[in-house]
Amino acid sequence: MKIAVLFLLLLAPSLTMAQVVPEPPDEGSAGATPNETATVIADTGTPGQIIPDDETPEARVDRLFGALANAEGDAADRIADEITSVWARSGSASMDLLLQRARAATGEKSYDKARAHVSALTRLAPDFAEGWNASATLYFIQEDYWLSVEHIQKTLELEPRHFGALAGLALILERTDRDAAALRTWEKVKALFPGMESAQEAIDRLKPDVDGKKT
């Protein structure tokens, strides 16, 4: 089951097995005033960068990927976590709650409950990439690779840079003895997330054998 745990962590790197994404604060709740939120210093490996408070989720992800390209170690992991945090926000509190419950149920191995949540999520929010990603994770753990790949493809149609979904696909390709395709997929992951150590380890593991078969 080691590879299944790795898959779950890759597709939701900001979560432990039973963690869920916290609810956004209610409007008007205690916290920073509007003046205090006019600019924010983001922990993205670019100290001193001033981020406007009206930055859209799309612009934030673009900025974070720019930072991720040159980040290493813990800094890279923090940026990746920020990206996945943005991806986990659907714009609907109800859909976000379904995602949280699906992830929690998956982590608790309550697979019937998790399946009900992801089924509702993908039906009600078919344009929410992270819903399909959560479903792909669940089906992988249950070793239903056909459905997992189908839902990974849905994820990538909606979010082509989803390095977690690509990593999950690479793991499935390895499990099904498609090493050349797995290597190409890990290389795509590495291009998006250069600091992902597990991607480099997989490339180092697969490349000698794949290259050897070409000669």
Side-chain angles (χ1 to χ4, degrees), residues 168-206:
L169 177 59
L171 286 171
I172 291 174
L173 291 168
E174 283 196 65
R175 270 205 165 185
T176 53
D177 298 321
R178 294 172 172 85
D179 288 353
L183 175 60
R184 291 193 299 270
T185 306
W186 279 121
E187 288 171 341
K188 291 178 182 179
V189 175
K190 179 74 173 174
L192 290 167
F193 185 171
M196 183 188 280
E197 294 181 1
S198 57
Q200 186 60 57
E201 290 168 0
I203 292 168
D204 292 343
R205 180 178 66 252
L206 293 168

Side-chain angles (χ1 to χ4, degrees), residues 108-130:
E108 294 162 0
K109 301 183 180 181
S110 299
Y111 297 137
D112 289 343
K113 185 184 295 185
R115 188 186 295 265
H117 291 322
V118 296
S119 295
L121 183 57
T122 55
R123 184 180 70 255
L124 295 171
D127 295 330
F128 182 34
E130 206 58 35

Side-chain angles (χ1 to χ4, degrees), residues 24 57 86-96 128:
V86 177
W87 283 340
R89 301 295 186 189
S90 67
S92 163
S94 297
M95 296 304 101
D96 291 353
F128 182 34

Side-chain angles (χ1 to χ4, degrees), residues 7-195:
F7 180 80
L8 179 62
L9 295 177
L10 282 170
L11 268 65
S14 63
L15 302 175
T16 61
M17 294 293 288
Q19 279 183 299
V20 295
V21 179
E23 284 291 307
D26 294 333
E27 292 183 6
S29 62
T33 65
N35 287 338
E36 290 173 328
T37 60
T39 58
V40 179
I41 305 300
D43 182 13
T44 62
T46 52
Q49 185 176 11
I50 298 176
I51 311 304
D53 61 348
D54 61 349
E55 184 180 48
T56 65
E58 294 79 10
R60 185 182 180 195
V61 168
D62 287 344
R63 173 176 57 78
L64 290 168
F65 266 107
L68 189 63
N70 299 306
E72 299 178 350
D74 291 344
D77 291 340
R78 286 195 298 271
I79 296 167
D81 285 350
E82 287 194 60
I83 292 170
T84 57
S85 177
V86 177
W87 283 340
R89 301 295 186 189
S90 67
S92 163
S94 297
M95 296 304 101
D96 291 353
L97 182 59
L98 270 177
L99 177 63
Q100 294 170 30
R101 288 176 173 173
R103 286 177 166 176
T106 300
E108 294 162 0
K109 301 183 180 181
S110 299
Y111 297 137
D112 289 343
K113 185 184 295 185
R115 188 186 295 265
H117 291 322
V118 296
S119 295
L121 183 57
T122 55
R123 184 180 70 255
L124 295 171
D127 295 330
F128 182 34
E130 206 58 35
W132 293 106
N133 185 49
S135 186
T137 303
L138 172 63
Y139 285 120
F140 176 89
I141 291 172
Q142 295 184 300
E143 299 186 353
D144 189 338
Y145 299 142
W146 180 266
L147 270 176
S148 185
V149 168
E150 182 180 328
H151 291 190
I152 286 171
Q153 290 173 336
K154 291 279 192 180
T155 304
L156 294 173
E157 286 171 10
L158 294 165
E159 179 45 74
R161 293 180 293 184
H162 203 299
F163 46 78
L166 280 168
L169 177 59
L171 286 171
I172 291 174
L173 291 168
E174 283 196 65
R175 270 205 165 185
T176 53
D177 298 321
R178 294 172 172 85
D179 288 353
L183 175 60
R184 291 193 299 270
T185 306
W186 279 121
E187 288 171 341
K188 291 178 182 179
V189 175
K190 179 74 173 174
L192 290 167
F193 185 171

Side-chain angles (χ1 to χ4, degrees), residues 179-181 183-184 187 206-215:
D179 288 353
L183 175 60
R184 291 193 299 270
E187 288 171 341
L206 293 168
K207 191 171 179 59
D209 187 51
V210 172
D211 287 349
K213 290 178 180 178
K214 293 178 182 178
T215 59

